[in-house]
Amino acid sequence: MPADDALTHDDARRLLRLAADTIDVSNVADAPLTPASRWSRDRHHPFAIAAAVVVLLIGGGLVWKGFDHDAGPPPTEPRNTGPVPTVLGYERDDAVELLEDAGFIVTVAGINGCGPIGYATDTVPGTGRSTTDGRVTLRYVQAAPPNAGCDPGAPSLLGLELLAFARGVGPAPPFADQVTLIVDNGRPRTVAGAKLADAVWWRSNSALGPLRRAAGQTRPGSGDEASQVPALASYDAESPVPVCDAPRPRRIGGQQAHRLAVGFPDDLCTVTIDLYGDLRPEDPKASVIDTVVANSGTPARTYGRSVVPMVAGLGLQEARDQLAMSGFRFRVVRDPVCQPTGVTATRPAGGTRLGIGEQVIVHLETTDSAC
Amino acid sequence: MEFSEYVAARRPRLIRTAVLLGCPEADAEDIVQTTLAKALRSWHRVAAASAPDAYVNRILVNVLHDARARRWRGEIPTLDLPEAASADPDLAAGLAVRAALQELPVDQREVLVLRFWADLSERDTAAAVGVAVGTVKSRTSRALCALAELLAAADPTDTGDRHAR
C-alpha cells in the first residue's frame, strides 16, 4: 500500500474514538462488585461459602449472581468432566481459577501438610483423572503438620513466584538493575532488570519457557492411579551437575545458587533455574536477583563414558547425588536386614566405566520388620 | 487502586472495547462482567502490575476468544448497525469504522483496538494477545492499511483518484 495512503497512528486513534462514541453505555451502572471481593479472596470463609451475592445493575436490566463453588457456573457454561489438569506449583486462588476456566466446579479444602502455605497440593480426582459431574476438590496447604517433620526441598516462595511469573499469572521476581543471564550453557549476557520483568521478553528468549512447560507436564499413572506430576523442589545448590548444567559464572566465586528444579525422578537432567544475588527464599520482596542460570533439562553432554563412583557406605541421598553428577541414572533395590548400614554396593561396581545416561543399581539396606 | 475504583473508572470503556473487538452489543456487559470477575479473583496481582489496564484487557481478549468458541461458533454475528444519520458526519464516520472493523481479520482488529482505542503500548498489546512485540508491529501496519482500504471503498465521495496523486 502506498505510504501516503496509509493511516497514521493519530488517524487510527481519531477513527477508533469516533467508532467508540457510537456505542451507547449511558445505562451502564457504576455499581462495584465489592461484595464478591470477600468471597473471592477467602474462598474457604464460611460466610463467603454460604452466601450468594447478588448485584443488580441498575438500568442495565442485567442481574449478575456471584456464586459460591457448590452452586456451579451459570447454566450456559459447559461443564468439563476431565481430565483434571495439574495444579503443581499454583497458589490456591490461581489453581481455582485454572480449574474453573477449564470448566470444572471447584470445592476448596485446606489440609495440614508440608509445602508452602497457601499453595495447592493436589486435586480429587487426581491429575489426569475424570469426574462424573464436573466437580473437583482442590486441596491446598493451610498449615504445617503439627508433629511430623517435613523433608527439605519443598519449593520456596521465591521459586514459586518465579514459576508463577513464567506462567504469566504473577509479577516479575525482584531483579537487580543489571542481571547476568546464562541459558543452556550459552554466552553470559547482561540484561537490564526492567527487560527481564517483561514476561513477553522471556517467552521469545527461551529462558523460562522450559520451566513453564516442565511444571505443566504429566505422565500417565499406572492402572487407575492419577497421572504423575514432576517434583518441584528448591534448595541451595553448591555446584552445578556437570553433565546437565552450565558452568557457574566465574564472578560468582563460592556463592551458592538458590535452585528451582522441576523434573521427574527418573529423568537424567531436570529443568533448573539457579538464582544468585542477595536472596531470601522465603521473603521474595527482600531479595535481589543479579544472576540467572537457566537449564532446560537437556544434558550438556550425552555422549561418552564416565566412571561409576564409589558410594558404598554413603547415605542414599548422597549416593544419588554422586551418581547424578557422574551422569548416571539409578534404581534403588532395598535389602531388608536387622541392622541396616545404608548403601552397600552398586551394580556395576564402583570404578566401572559406563556410558553416560545408563542405569546403576544401588543396593540399600533397610530395616527388616521381622527382626 | 481499589477494585471498586477501577470498575467505576473503567467499566464503560471496557464495554466499548469489547464491542469494538467484535462482541455483539447485547453481550458486551455480560462479557465485561466475566472479565471483571476474573480480574477480581487476581486483583492482588492486577493492582500490583505496572499496567493494570494491560492485564485486564488481556483477560477481556481471552474471555472473548472463549465466547467465540463456545457461543458464537466461530465468527461473531454480523452487527446490525443503524443507518447513519446524514446530519451527523461524526456518527456516520464512526459507524463506517465499526463496519470496517468487522471486515478485518480478528488478529488485525485486536491490535488496532488495543493500540489505538484502549491505548496500550506495543509491549502491553503483545502481552494481551500473546504474541511478540514484532508481531504486533507488523500486524498493526497491515491493519492500518487494510482499514484505510475498507474505509476508502465504503466512502461514497471517494472517486478512487487517491492513487493517481
Side-chain angles (χ1 to χ4, degrees), chain B residues 33-58:
Chain B
Q33 279 295 90
T34 302
T35 298
L36 291 172
K38 286 175 181 281
L40 176 61
R41 281 205 292 265
S42 309
W43 188 245
H44 62 294
R45 295 191 199 282
V46 177
S50 58
D53 282 344
Y55 205 111
V56 176
N57 275 285
R58 184 176 70 182

Side-chain angles (χ1 to χ4, degrees), chain A residues 53-362:
Chain A
V53 177
V54 177
V55 176
L56 178 67
L57 296 181
I58 300 168
L62 178 70
V63 176
W64 178 79
K65 177 167 173 274
F67 54 90
D68 67 87
H69 300 289
D70 292 329
T76 54
E77 292 291 328
R79 287 187 188 180
N80 193 350
T81 55
V84 179
T86 177
V87 294
L88 178 72
Y90 278 93
E91 201 177 2
R92 181 197 64 204
D93 289 351
D94 290 330
V96 171
E97 186 173 339
L98 176 80
L99 293 167
E100 287 186 342
D101 284 350
F104 295 101
I105 302 167
V106 184
T107 305
V108 177
I111 63 170
N112 293 342
C114 294
I117 291 175
Y119 280 79
T121 58
D122 58 3
T123 55
V124 178
T127 302
R129 306 299 296 163
S130 296
T131 79
T132 53
D133 56 2
R135 292 176 183 269
V136 173
T137 298
L138 172 76
R139 300 199 295 191
Y140 76 99
V141 179
Q142 66 176 6
N147 297 317
C150 291
D151 291 337
S156 63
L157 287 178
L158 183 61
L160 289 168
E161 287 210 359
L162 182 67
L163 179 56
F165 174 63
R167 282 171 163 160
V169 295
F175 292 117
D177 291 339
Q178 298 290 318
V179 179
T180 300
L181 177 65
I182 300 174
V183 179
D184 277 341
N185 208 18
R187 187 175 52 85
R189 290 182 288 167
T190 299
V191 185
K195 192 178 277 191
L196 289 184
D198 179 352
V200 176
W201 183 89
W202 282 97
R203 209 175 295 157
S204 52
N205 284 273
S206 303
L208 290 184
L211 175 66
R212 183 179 67 249
R213 285 190 291 275
Q217 270 190 303
T218 60
R219 291 181 183 170
S222 55
D224 289 336
E225 291 179 355
S227 298
Q228 298 176 54
V229 295
L232 183 64
S234 296
Y235 50 93
D236 291 330
E238 288 192 0
S239 54
V241 179
V243 169
C244 302
D245 298 346
R248 292 157 64 88
R250 281 202 198 94
R251 69 178 186 84
I252 291 294
Q255 199 178 355
Q256 277 192 341
H258 185 68
R259 168 172 294 179
L260 177 67
V262 185
F264 290 91
D266 57 352
D267 286 347
L268 176 60
C269 299
T270 58
V271 172
T272 59
I273 307 286
D274 287 356
L275 305 177
Y276 298 86
D278 184 6
L279 304 179
R280 310 276 188 275
E282 298 309 323
D283 187 7
K285 286 188 176 53
S287 303
V288 179
I289 301 167
D290 62 30
T291 304
V292 178
V293 179
N295 294 285
S296 61
T298 305
R301 186 160 63 95
T302 55
Y303 58 90
R305 299 166 75 80
S306 186
V307 175
V308 177
M310 306 282 191
V311 296
L314 298 180
L316 180 60
Q317 185 60 50
E318 192 171 353
R320 280 174 167 169
D321 287 346
Q322 296 261 353
L323 288 164
M325 285 174 64
S326 299
F328 301 117
R329 300 173 192 266
F330 50 82
R331 183 168 66 89
V332 178
V333 170
R334 286 174 165 76
D335 302 321
V337 298
C338 289
Q339 292 186 338
T341 58
V343 175
T344 55
T346 60
R347 202 173 58 219
T352 307
R353 290 188 67 82
L354 201 62
I356 285 174
E358 295 205 44
Q359 187 177 73
V360 172
I361 306 293
V362 176

Side-chain angles (χ1 to χ4, degrees), chain A residues 1 5 12 18-20 22-23 25 28-29 31-32 41 43 77 91 94 97 100-101 168-170 198, chain B residues 4 11 15-16 19 33 38 40-42 44-45 58 70 94 98 116-117 119 123 144-145 148 151 162-163:
Chain A
M1 180 178 192
D5 290 340
L18 288 173
T22 67
I23 301 166
V25 294
V28 171
R41 297 292 297 156
R43 290 178 186 265
E77 292 291 328
E91 201 177 2
D94 290 330
E97 186 173 339
E100 287 186 342
D101 284 350
V169 295
D198 179 352
Chain B
S4 55
R11 194 204 295 259
I15 290 174
R16 289 191 167 110
V19 174
Q33 279 295 90
K38 286 175 181 281
L40 176 61
R41 281 205 292 265
S42 309
H44 62 294
R45 295 191 199 282
R58 184 176 70 182
R70 288 187 204 149
R98 283 180 65 187
F116 303 117
W117 161 248
D119 211 24
R123 190 189 79 168
L144 288 172
C145 282
L151 291 174
R162 186 178 302 129
H163 296 281

Side-chain angles (χ1 to χ4, degrees), chain A residues 45 89 265 290 363:
Chain A
H45 195 284
D290 62 30
H363 284 270

